[in-house]
Amino acid sequence: MNTKKQAPEIPDCKEQLIAIKDTMILLSGKWKIQIIGWLLLYGKVRFMDLLRGIDGIAAKMLSKELQELEQNQIVVRTVMPTKPITVEYELTEHGKTLSGVIEAISAWGVTHRKFLFKK
Amino acid sequence: MNTKKQAPEIPDCKEQLIAIKDTMILLSGKWKIQIIGWLLLYGKVRFMDLLRGIDGIAAKMLSKELQELEQNQIVVRTVMPTKPITVEYELTEHGKTLSGVIEAISAWGVTHRKFLFKK
DNA sequence: CGGCTTAGTTTCATAGAGGAAACCGGTTTC
DNA sequence: GAAACCGGTTTCCTCTATGAAACTAAGCCG
C-alpha cells in the first residue's frame, strides 16, 4: 500500500472552516472589527467621529480600513454637501448582517472578563 | 469656553467596544480562529493532524499559536504516553464558550458567499 | 489675511508577523 | 545502522502592517 500515514479517520467538515477563513480575510486588520462595532452602535458616523472615538487609530489606518470595507460592500461612504465638507460612513444592509458576529465577539469579551475574575 | 469641538452628542457605549477589543487581542493572528474552529469540530486533535489539516500553516506558527491559546486557557495540551509520543490538544471548558463566536463567523462566511453570488 | 475645520494623502521609519528550511531527541521499524 | 514518525525548536530572512508626522485642498470665520 502506498499511503503510509494512517488512514485519516478525520471527517470532512471543511465547508465551515473555509467559511471561517473567508470571513477572517475580510475582517483582517487591527481595526476593522472595532470600526464595524462603532457603526453598529452609532449608525451614521463621520470620519472625525471615528478618528476621535476609536482609541489609538491614526488617520491613515482609518482611511485604509474604511476603503477596504467599502470595497467589500460592508460600508457606504457618503459625501455630504455641508459647509466644511463632511463624509458619513454607515453599514450597508449586507454590513448589518455582521451584527451577529460582532455581538458574539462582544459578548464573549464579557464572558472572558468574568472568567478571569472568577479564577 | 475651552472646548472648541462641538459637544459630543455621542452616547457612551464603550463597554461593548472594549469587550470587542479584549476578545480580538486574544484571537489575533492569522491562524487562531481557524485552529479553534478545528478543535470545535474535531474535539481532541494531535499536533500533526492540525499541521496537515490546516492548509498552509507552518510548524512554528502552529506551535506558537497553540502556546498562546494555552496561556489564555482556551486550549489544553496533553502529552500521551504512546509509542512515538503524541500530544493532544483540545478546548478547555472556557475555550468551548467561543463556539458562539466561531459559529457566527462561519455562518457569516456562508451568508457572504451567497451575497456575492446573488449580485 | 491668518487660522481653524474636515477629510484625507504622502512620506518615512520600524517592529514584528509570518514563512522556509534545517535541526533535535526519542522511539519504532526495516 | 538507516530511515521514518512525532512534536517541536532554532535560525534566518522578508514583507507588510502599523504608526508618527507633515502636508494638501477646500471652505468658513473674524
Side-chain angles (χ1 to χ4, degrees):
Chain A
M1 215 190 283
N2 246 349
T3 51
K4 300 181 182 181
K5 333 262 170 166
Q6 75 284 17
E9 328 136 14
I10 301 207
D12 204 10
C13 308
K14 284 261 176 82
E15 294 311 319
Q16 293 144 80
L17 296 170
I18 291 173
I20 289 173
K21 207 172 175 181
D22 290 351
T23 302
M24 295 320 292
I25 288 171
L26 293 196
L27 300 186
S28 69
K30 196 174 173 182
W31 304 106
K32 289 203 189 71
I33 293 187
Q34 281 187 77
I35 291 171
I36 296 168
W38 250 79
L39 295 176
L40 272 171
L41 286 170
Y42 295 117
K44 283 186 188 172
V45 169
R46 287 179 300 120
F47 187 86
M48 275 297 159
D49 292 335
L50 290 169
L51 191 57
R52 290 198 266 255
I54 298 181
D55 191 39
I57 199 170
K60 191 188 76 171
M61 275 299 113
L62 180 55
S63 174
K64 203 201 69 181
E65 301 280 63
L66 285 169
Q67 280 171 26
E68 290 176 24
L69 290 173
E70 202 190 350
Q71 277 167 31
N72 289 315
Q73 303 171 71
I74 308 293
V75 151
V76 224
R77 193 183 98 111
T78 315
V79 179
M80 307 298 286
T82 47
K83 20 224 168 152
I85 195 179
T86 56
V87 178
E88 280 182 0
Y89 290 91
E90 66 181 319
L91 293 173
T92 61
E93 283 311 305
H94 184 50
K96 287 176 190 164
T97 64
L98 276 165
S99 64
V101 173
I102 304 295
E103 279 159 22
I105 290 172
S106 178
W108 192 82
V110 174
T111 300
H112 183 63
R113 187 180 295 269
K114 283 180 195 160
F115 170 78
L116 291 179
F117 187 70
K118 258 190 297 185
K119 288 233 78 174
Chain B
M1 218 192 279
N2 246 349
T3 51
K4 300 181 181 182
K5 334 261 170 167
Q6 75 285 20
E9 329 136 13
I10 301 208
D12 204 8
C13 309
K14 285 261 177 83
E15 294 310 319
Q16 294 145 81
L17 296 169
I18 290 172
I20 289 173
K21 207 172 175 180
D22 290 351
T23 302
M24 295 320 292
I25 287 171
L26 293 196
L27 300 186
S28 69
K30 195 175 173 181
W31 304 104
K32 289 205 189 71
I33 292 186
Q34 280 187 77
I35 291 171
I36 296 168
W38 251 78
L39 296 176
L40 271 171
L41 285 171
Y42 295 119
K44 283 186 186 170
V45 170
R46 287 179 301 124
F47 187 84
M48 276 297 160
D49 292 335
L50 290 168
L51 191 56
R52 289 198 267 257
I54 299 180
D55 191 39
I57 198 170
K60 190 188 80 173
M61 273 300 112
L62 180 55
S63 175
K64 203 199 70 182
E65 302 279 63
L66 284 170
Q67 280 171 28
E68 291 177 23
L69 290 172
E70 203 190 347
Q71 278 168 31
N72 289 315
Q73 302 171 73
I74 308 292
V75 151
V76 224
R77 194 183 98 112
T78 315
V79 178
M80 307 298 286
T82 48
K83 19 224 169 157
I85 195 179
T86 56
V87 179
E88 282 182 358
Y89 291 90
E90 66 182 318
L91 293 173
T92 60
E93 283 312 304
H94 183 48
K96 287 175 190 164
T97 63
L98 276 165
S99 65
V101 173
I102 304 294
E103 279 159 22
I105 290 173
S106 177
W108 192 82
V110 175
T111 299
H112 182 63
R113 186 180 297 269
K114 284 180 194 158
F115 170 77
L116 291 180
F117 187 71
K118 256 190 299 186
K119 288 232 83 173

